[in-house]
Amino acid sequence: MLYVLKHPLITHKLTQMRKSTTGTKDFRQNLDEIAGLMAYEITRDIPLKNVSIETPVTAMETFEVSKDIILVPILRAGLGMVNGISNLVPTVKIAHVGLYRDEETLEPHTYFAKYPKNMDQAICLIVDPMLATGGSAIEAINLIKKQGATDIKLVCLVGAPEGVNAVEKVHSDVDIYLAALDEKLNDKGYIVPGLGDAGDRIFGTK
Ligand code: PRP
Ligand code: URA
């Protein structure tokens, strides 16, 4: 299922990121803030368990989150979404999946992978600002499914219809969350209108 999270603050911040005049500092800050806002929406339905606690006044029955949350940033650009989400959910564990997209073939290549334990018990949030052809997201989902993950959500800022369709075709069990669904890909595999190369804009590498 695809969810496009339409909130005025998300839209406003994404507009700042899209502007070609926005520099690295503001690009990173807006990404951080949007990631936090998206996480707030996405975690609306996470399961709770009953707990008995003592307040300073009395005993009470209340609730706590019952499942671990594991963030899975796709390196490099996904790293730009980690702080915003971990500020909201400080107990997250973090897996790292290093993938780069070959500029000619647009095929993803894996160069790093490191996972926490018990991925099969956790809610896994794969984060990456861009969902273009969908190749990187599909590969990241393949990798964490091999680690036993079953409860997987894909969280991206900007998606192209091509990427959404590709992920839905291969991994129909994974919900996709976007801040915006853009128009299309261009002949270089960039999202139109998009925001350019997210990794380069986050890390100032171009
Ligand atoms: C970008 C982006 C995604 C991928 C999306 O990463 O952050 O991971 O491309 O494209 P796809 O949907 O066609 O696979 P890139 O490979 O440029 O690496 P980087 O994050 O290190 O810049
Ligand atoms: N990766 C990016 O960083 N931007 C795009 O538009 C497509 C893939």
Side-chain angles (χ1 to χ4, degrees), residues 101-188:
R101 192 172 78 143
D102 183 291
E103 285 183 9
E104 297 297 321
T105 65
L106 303 183
E107 288 296 316
H109 295 272
T110 308
Y111 58 87
F112 187 76
K114 185 86 181 169
Y115 309 101
K117 292 198 182 85
N118 302 330
M119 294 199 65
D120 56 328
Q121 313 284 323
I123 300 168
C124 296
L125 302 183
I126 298 179
V127 293
D128 189 331
M130 308 308 278
L131 177 62
T133 65
S136 303
I138 289 170
E139 189 52 25
I141 298 168
N142 288 338
L143 289 168
I144 67 167
K145 280 189 173 175
K146 281 190 196 142
Q147 299 298 312
T150 56
D151 191 346
I152 303 170
K153 299 175 195 290
L154 174 65
V155 186
C156 302
L157 236 55
V158 181
E162 294 89 332
V164 170
N165 292 337
V167 173
E168 283 181 335
K169 202 165 158 200
V170 183
H171 295 294
S172 57
D173 54 323
V174 173
D175 285 334
I176 303 172
Y177 297 85
L178 299 176
L181 179 63
D182 274 12
E183 197 185 319
K184 60 178 182 186
L185 296 180
N186 68 13
D187 57 4
K188 293 200 166 79

Side-chain angles (χ1 to χ4, degrees), residues 76-116:
R76 293 173 300 165
L79 289 175
M81 298 175 72
V82 168
N83 281 349
I85 299 177
S86 57
N87 283 341
L88 197 71
V89 193
T91 52
V92 288
K93 298 194 175 93
I94 303 176
H96 290 85
V97 172
L99 293 174
Y100 73 90
R101 192 172 78 143
D102 183 291
E103 285 183 9
E104 297 297 321
T105 65
L106 303 183
E107 288 296 316
H109 295 272
T110 308
Y111 58 87
F112 187 76
K114 185 86 181 169
Y115 309 101

Side-chain angles (χ1 to χ4, degrees), residues 33-84:
E33 291 169 0
I34 294 175
L37 290 167
M38 290 183 80
Y40 186 74
E41 289 293 331
I42 290 162
T43 51
R44 249 177 215 291
D45 63 352
I46 60 173
L48 296 171
K49 64 180 177 201
N50 290 78
V51 286
S52 310
I53 64 162
E54 299 276 343
T55 78
V57 180
T58 184
M60 77 175 285
E61 300 294 316
T62 180
F63 303 95
E64 277 178 359
V65 171
S66 66
K67 277 182 104 172
D68 281 344
I69 298 180
I70 296 179
L71 282 188
V72 187
I74 301 180
L75 311 184
R76 293 173 300 165
L79 289 175
M81 298 175 72
V82 168
N83 281 349

